Amino acid sequence: MASYVALSNTGTNFNDQDLSNVGDVSLDSISSDSATSVSVVLGTDAGDDLIVATDALVVEGDTKNVGVGTAAPAKNLHVYGSSGEVELRIQSDTSFCSIVQKDNNEL
């Protein structure tokens, strides 16, 4: 028999306890206390992925590939744009550089 946790509109506090094996969870936000972090642990099987907005950001649990703009990242970091220029920006506090891919395969 399955167990379910009912959450109210007023919020539920789990007091630093784990929430696991509950199926789909719908949240407005995830936050942590001061000086703590939020950790997402992915499984290592195909389909054990972290997905944000279908293809805005995808982290595959089995390959560890990261996709931005694609639901199926083919390499360690796969950035996809549907048309025009796709720009990858690498930035520090004082400068940045960009790699721009144009539709005609020019950099």
Side-chain angles (χ1 to χ4, degrees):
M1 176 179 275
S3 299
Y4 297 95
V5 176
L7 305 177
S8 68
N9 301 13
T10 58
T12 299
N13 187 342
F14 290 95
N15 297 322
D16 294 331
Q17 297 175 19
D18 291 340
L19 176 63
S20 60
N21 299 321
V22 294
D24 293 340
V25 176
S26 186
L27 303 168
D28 291 328
S29 67
I30 298 174
S31 62
S32 66
D33 297 337
S34 177
T36 62
S37 61
V38 174
S39 176
V40 176
V41 179
L42 301 177
T44 57
D45 295 329
D48 290 345
D49 304 337
L50 171 66
I51 301 170
V52 177
T54 307
D55 64 1
L57 175 67
V58 173
V59 179
E60 293 189 333
D62 56 338
T63 64
K64 308 297 187 251
N65 290 350
V66 175
V68 176
T70 177
K75 297 292 179 183
N76 299 85
L77 176 60
H78 184 161
V79 179
Y80 174 80
S82 60
S83 64
E85 295 182 356
V86 177
E87 181 176 352
L88 176 63
R89 177 178 275 203
I90 303 168
Q91 184 170 346
S92 71
D93 287 340
T94 58
S95 65
F96 71 90
C97 72
S98 293
I99 300 170
V100 179
Q101 173 68 45
K102 299 181 179 185
D103 278 346
N104 58 4
N105 292 325
E106 292 179 10
L107 290 177

